[in-house]
Amino acid sequence: MKFKNQTAVSELILLGMTHDPELQPLIFCLFLSIYLITILGNLLIILAERADFSLHIPMFFFLSNLSLNDICLSSTTIPKLLVNIQTQDQKIIYTGCLSQVSFVLIFGGMENCLLAVMAYDQYDAICQPLRYQVILSSDFCVLLLVLSLLISTVHDLLHTVMALRLSFCTNVEIPHFCELAQLINLACSDTFINTLLVYSAANIFFGVPIAGIIFSYTKIVSSVFRMHSVGGRDKAFSTCGSHLSVVFLFYGAGFGVQLSPTVVDSSTKNAVASVMYIVIPQMMNPFIYSLRNREMKIALRHLISGKPFLFLCS
């Protein structure tokens, strides 16, 4: 336990991605490009889903909400990073840092729940096609969305309230983004309860959705191999492949960020993991779904050409 030089910290220092001044413009341009691509790509997914009536089904309803969540998650961290690089001011007030932690937990948790819900949607569409529209009614889809947000918010409050009890030494420096694991690692007070809570909550909050995803895809694979139509089998694997790609990308980096920083002190490793968790999946999701999904490709093509708007106005 660390109890020396405890004080009420009002400001923290975000060290950024690199200390080399010559690399700062490159880092700024890189993250600005990533942010703009993320916003544009996910916004196109949302507009395509709203403009094309053929996409008004549960699968694309959840996809458009995943895109909205990706925009929110990226906007929680990248703009502050860009402002710090541009102004050369690396300070962030403690309440601002805690707010950033809170929003990352909420939107990261929301993504976790949405991926599990989307796996359930795939299971119903492939294993119970005749009852698909009955099971996943509009009201039930909204209920799943609200429940996901509620669970994510409770998970966030649990960690945020416990983080308020932490005391910090003077000159608190955070390697990149404000993250819960980094705050715990830098605290001077006893962090045993916080660390135990991180591991316990991760096992439950991430473990249950992952178990649901594994169960859903076990049933899906079993059902697909019983299909007599080769075309139907290929379509099922193509649709599921998009979701699985996002799942592997999100959870693979997510566990590295949530668990390893509490026991491993490596700024470079944590920075790469944070980028993979908070930045890269949100940028890649629109490409993964649009390139592998025929309906979304057609809707995006119509959206760009202006056909959906003519259809909606007629």
Side-chain angles (χ1 to χ4, degrees), residues 256-275:
V257 172
Q258 294 296 328
L259 301 180
S260 65
T262 57
V263 293
V264 180
D265 187 16
S266 174
S267 299
T268 303
K269 179 181 178 181
N270 295 343
V272 173
S274 297
V275 170

Side-chain angles (χ1 to χ4, degrees), residues 84-268:
N84 286 357
I85 294 175
Q86 188 68 19
T87 62
Q88 296 298 311
D89 183 8
Q90 298 176 315
K91 294 180 180 179
I92 182 172
I93 59 175
Y94 179 66
T95 53
C97 186
L98 201 59
S99 298
Q100 191 176 80
V101 169
S102 179
F103 284 120
V104 167
L105 288 172
I106 290 176
F107 295 125
M110 188 70 176
E111 185 130 351
N112 170 57
C113 293
L114 280 175
L115 290 176
V117 169
M118 292 172 76
Y120 174 68
D121 169 72
Q122 301 283 358
Y123 162 75
D124 279 331
I126 295 174
C127 299
Q128 306 182 79
L130 298 180
R131 300 181 58 211
Y132 178 63
Q133 294 291 345
V134 177
I135 296 174
L136 286 174
S137 62
S138 299
D139 292 339
F140 187 58
C141 289
V142 173
L143 177 62
L144 288 175
L145 188 66
V146 173
L147 186 61
S148 298
L149 180 59
L150 179 62
I151 293 173
S152 302
T153 304
V154 171
H155 176 251
D156 159 61
L157 289 175
L158 188 64
H159 287 295
T160 304
V161 170
M162 292 302 296
L164 292 173
R165 60 180 288 275
L166 296 176
S167 299
F168 297 89
C169 302
T170 56
N171 192 28
V172 179
E173 296 181 342
I174 298 178
H176 36 278
F177 307 123
C178 285
E179 293 175 311
L180 177 64
Q182 293 293 342
L183 288 180
I184 294 174
N185 197 43
L186 293 171
C188 290
S189 57
D190 181 18
T191 60
F192 174 77
I193 296 178
N194 298 81
T195 304
L196 181 63
L197 185 61
V198 167
Y199 280 94
S200 301
N203 288 330
I204 299 173
F205 187 67
F206 288 95
V208 172
I210 289 176
I213 293 173
I214 293 173
F215 174 80
S216 296
Y217 275 102
T218 300
K219 294 292 186 179
I220 288 172
V221 171
S222 176
S223 179
V224 168
F225 279 123
R226 290 199 301 266
M227 291 181 178
H228 299 292
S229 171
V230 177
R233 190 181 303 172
D234 292 340
K235 182 179 180 181
F237 277 127
S238 176
T239 303
C240 295
S242 302
H243 180 254
L244 281 175
S245 299
V246 175
V247 167
F248 285 131
L249 185 60
F250 177 77
Y251 286 112
F255 274 111
V257 172
Q258 294 296 328
L259 301 180
S260 65
T262 57
V263 293
V264 180
D265 187 16
S266 174
S267 299
T268 303

